Amino acid sequence: PSQVMFCTLNTHKVDMEKLLGGQIGLEDFIFAHTKGQRKEVEVFKSEEALGLTITDNGAGYAFIKRIREGSVIDRIPVISVGDMIEAIDGHSLVGARHYEVAKMLKELPRGRTFALRLTEPRKAFDLIGPRSGGSRSGGTQVGSGRGTLRLRARGPATLEEQPSAFEELAVAKVDDLLESYMGIRDSELAATMVELGRDAGDPDALAQALDAQLGDFAFPDEFVFDVWGAIGDAKVGR
C-alpha cells in the first residue's frame, strides 16, 4: 500500500479525470498506480502562475493533476501529469494536502529558481484499452446506474442514490472555481461545499458554514461570493 500513489477508475492510463475519489459505482474497476522513477528538477519561476493544478490522494501524497498549455511547467518536458510532488527546495511535502502544496508554490517569489523532487507513476499495461461500460450479458445487472457506493474516512461505506442534476451542475461549477482560485480540483471538497451552501440564504451564511466545517482552507471572501453565486445558478439550471 505504501507504494500506491493514486487509483483510477476503469482505465489503466494516468487520467486525472478518472481518479478514485469518495464514490465508486458497483461496476467500476480500480487500477492502482504505484511509484516509479524519481526526478530532481530545477524550475525558474519566470511568471506568477506556474500553470499547475494540484490534487492529492487523501493519504499524504500530492501530485500534478493538470498542466496548462504554454505555462512555465509545460515548457519542462520532464515534468508530467501524475507526478507526485515529494519536496520543494528540500522541504518534504509527504503528508501535506493539495491546497497546502498549491499555496507553497504560489508564494514562491517570481524571478528565482527552486527545486522540485518528483516521483512519476510506474508505466505498465500500455497496450491495454480502457474498460468499456456495461455488465456481462445474462443475469441481473447489479450496477444499474441508479446507485453509487460512497466511501467515507469514518464509518461504513453506504449505497446512495446518484446525485441530482442540480448537485452535478453545482459541484462541477464549484470544482472549476477551486481550480481558478486555488489551483486544485477536488470533487469531494466541491460536493461538501455544495451541501453546506444549498440552503444558505446569502454569502455571509455560506461563509459561516465554510468557516465552521472547512476553516483550514481560509477561503477568500471573493471566492465564497462566487461559490454562492455558482450554487444559485445551478439551482435554476444555469
Side-chain angles (χ1 to χ4, degrees), residues 6-235:
F6 53 85
C7 296
T8 51
L9 294 179
N10 303 324
T11 177
H12 68 284
K13 297 182 182 297
V14 179
D15 186 342
M16 300 293 101
E17 303 304 321
K18 301 290 180 64
L19 290 175
L20 171 64
Q23 295 184 355
I24 59 173
L26 296 180
E27 292 183 334
D28 283 333
F29 198 92
I30 301 172
F31 287 84
H33 298 259
T34 58
K35 296 177 182 177
Q37 181 180 353
R38 300 182 75 182
K39 301 179 285 191
E40 296 275 353
V41 185
E42 288 193 345
V43 180
F44 178 69
K45 190 174 183 182
S46 58
E47 303 171 18
E48 287 296 333
L50 293 169
L52 283 178
T53 298
I54 309 296
T55 189
D56 65 52
N57 65 355
Y61 297 148
F63 50 91
I64 299 171
K65 184 169 185 178
R66 183 176 300 171
I67 298 175
R68 191 177 70 248
E69 186 176 354
S71 64
V72 172
I73 297 299
D74 188 46
R75 295 193 290 268
I76 305 175
V78 72
I79 300 178
S80 303
V81 168
D83 286 354
M84 181 176 71
I85 304 176
E86 284 195 28
I88 298 175
D89 283 338
H91 176 76
S92 176
L93 298 174
V94 176
R97 293 302 312 276
H98 51 1
Y99 58 89
E100 295 173 317
V101 178
K103 182 180 179 183
M104 185 177 297
L105 289 170
K106 188 174 184 179
E107 290 178 347
L108 290 171
R110 182 177 178 179
R112 61 155 285 190
T113 298
F114 64 94
L116 278 179
R117 186 163 73 239
L118 307 166
T119 297
E120 66 180 30
R122 190 181 303 276
K123 295 177 174 60
F125 305 122
D126 287 339
L127 300 179
I128 296 179
R131 183 173 185 266
S132 60
S135 63
R136 296 179 180 88
S137 59
T140 302
Q141 290 189 3
V142 176
S144 63
R146 293 189 294 272
T148 303
L149 187 65
R150 184 175 179 87
L151 307 177
R152 301 181 185 277
R154 298 179 179 84
T158 57
L159 183 64
E160 298 181 353
E161 292 297 313
Q162 282 191 325
S164 65
F166 152 71
E167 290 170 328
E168 288 186 346
L169 180 59
V171 168
K173 286 177 174 288
V174 173
D175 207 12
D176 288 342
L177 288 172
L178 282 170
E179 180 173 20
S180 175
Y181 276 87
M182 303 183 66
I184 63 175
R185 291 192 75 87
D186 189 329
S187 59
E188 287 301 303
L189 173 60
T192 299
M193 297 175 72
V194 170
E195 289 178 7
L196 294 173
R198 181 188 288 110
D199 300 320
D202 54 51
D204 288 337
L206 174 59
Q208 292 176 5
L210 292 176
D211 284 343
Q213 297 290 328
L214 303 169
D216 290 344
F217 286 88
F219 296 121
D221 292 341
E222 60 271 21
F223 172 74
V224 174
F225 185 82
D226 283 350
V227 168
W228 179 73
I231 294 173
D233 287 345
K235 286 180 179 179

